[in-house]
Amino acid sequence: QKEVEQNSGPLSVPEGAIASLNCTYSDRGSQSFFWYRQYSGKSPELIMSIYSNGDKEDGRFTAQLNKASQYVSLLIRDSQPSDSATYLCAVRAGANSKLTFGKGITLSVRP
Amino acid sequence: DGGITQSPKYLFRKEGQNVTLSCEQNLNHDAMYWYRQDPGQGLRLIYYSQIVNDFQKGDIAEGYSVSREKKESFPLTVTSAQKNPTAFYLCASSIISTGELFFGEGSRLTVL
């Protein structure tokens, strides 16, 4: 059974701080990794996708992938109250495989 | 505007009734998916389809059925056999090569 684990949370950070969200996965053959943001009562929206080891930056968001240690993380710099949401990590084993989602971690950014 | 349209957004059903949730996409994506989300839980895959007239069971397919007669459409029927159908249902589509899922706004089903 492929598993994707996220910190249980919730995570609370002050406005302007860096929020660090972590995710580990069990399938060593996983190839594609995604972070989704979900506001309360809404559907998930894709924030970042990462496919190779290292960092990928997009604005205030940085995804970090370490396949040897089987973890992927999301850093949110200069956190804003509008970043308050649940963040879902998802992992895909191969090109025709389905995604496996973690249970998500709720982030609260305090003004 | 390209996107995924789910309907209805809210649905109430009496026990013993089947209901069908609609999902239409105009993104020209080959793959479509149905997920279920319960409070405090992640997304659980019900069914998915990568090509017209073909679909596969996900992790929790019991009590559900789907069809894929057109590339754009992937309706989900919640049957009376589903023991705990009250949930938030999410339809998604993707280009198979990237795996990036794009979601509709969801349908919230409540069984009375």
Side-chain angles (χ1 to χ4, degrees):
Chain A
Q1 180 79 359
K2 298 169 187 170
E3 293 184 350
V4 177
E5 301 284 343
Q6 296 184 246
N7 307 57
S8 57
L11 176 65
S12 180
V13 301
E15 186 174 354
I18 295 175
S20 177
L21 312 176
N22 299 317
C23 174
T24 60
Y25 57 94
S26 63
D27 185 356
R28 186 169 287 278
S30 297
Q31 297 181 9
S32 308
F33 308 85
F34 309 91
W35 282 99
Y36 286 84
R37 177 177 62 198
Q38 186 175 24
Y39 292 113
S40 181
K42 303 295 185 182
S43 61
E45 57 181 318
L46 180 67
I47 303 175
M48 297 279 286
S49 54
I50 186 166
Y51 302 96
S52 55
N53 275 332
D55 294 0
K56 179 181 178 182
E57 187 173 318
D58 184 0
R60 296 186 295 112
F61 298 97
T62 299
Q64 299 176 318
L65 175 60
N66 184 324
K67 288 186 178 181
S69 300
Q70 294 176 238
Y71 82 79
V72 55
S73 62
L74 180 70
L75 301 178
I76 306 174
R77 291 184 301 280
D78 187 24
S79 294
Q80 301 296 310
S82 59
D83 295 325
S84 298
T86 296
Y87 289 80
L88 301 168
C89 172
V91 175
R92 186 172 79 155
N96 289 324
S97 300
K98 52 193 174 119
L99 266 64
T100 301
F101 281 85
K103 291 187 177 180
I105 182 169
T106 298
L107 170 66
S108 175
V109 180
R110 309 187 300 272
Chain B
D1 278 313
I4 302 171
T5 302
Q6 288 187 240
S7 63
K9 287 189 168 46
Y10 299 93
L11 184 60
F12 297 89
R13 186 194 96 174
K14 293 182 180 179
E15 281 193 20
Q17 289 181 333
N18 293 354
V19 294
T20 297
L21 308 180
S22 170
C23 179
E24 303 278 333
Q25 56 102 357
N26 60 6
L27 300 170
N28 199 32
H29 287 171
D30 288 313
M32 297 188 73
Y33 309 79
W34 275 105
Y35 287 89
R36 168 181 173 142
Q37 187 174 40
D38 295 283
Q41 299 293 313
L43 304 180
R44 293 185 291 169
L45 182 63
I46 305 172
Y47 269 98
Y48 65 105
S49 168
Q50 295 186 325
I51 193 170
V52 173
N53 292 323
D54 189 41
F55 47 83
Q56 285 76 42
K57 292 182 179 179
D59 301 316
I60 55 165
E62 184 175 350
Y64 299 98
S65 66
V66 293
S67 63
R68 186 89 187 272
E69 297 178 0
K70 299 186 301 182
K71 184 176 182 178
E72 301 80 15
S73 179
F74 192 42
L76 173 74
T77 297
V78 184
T79 76
S80 56
Q82 168 50 232
K83 294 189 183 343
N84 188 17
T86 294
F88 188 40
Y89 290 89
L90 290 157
C91 179
S93 69
S94 76
I95 299 172
I96 294 174
S97 60
T98 67
E100 295 175 337
L101 294 184
F102 295 90
F103 288 87
E105 292 187 339
S107 293
R108 199 168 296 276
L109 172 63
T110 302
V111 174
L112 303 173

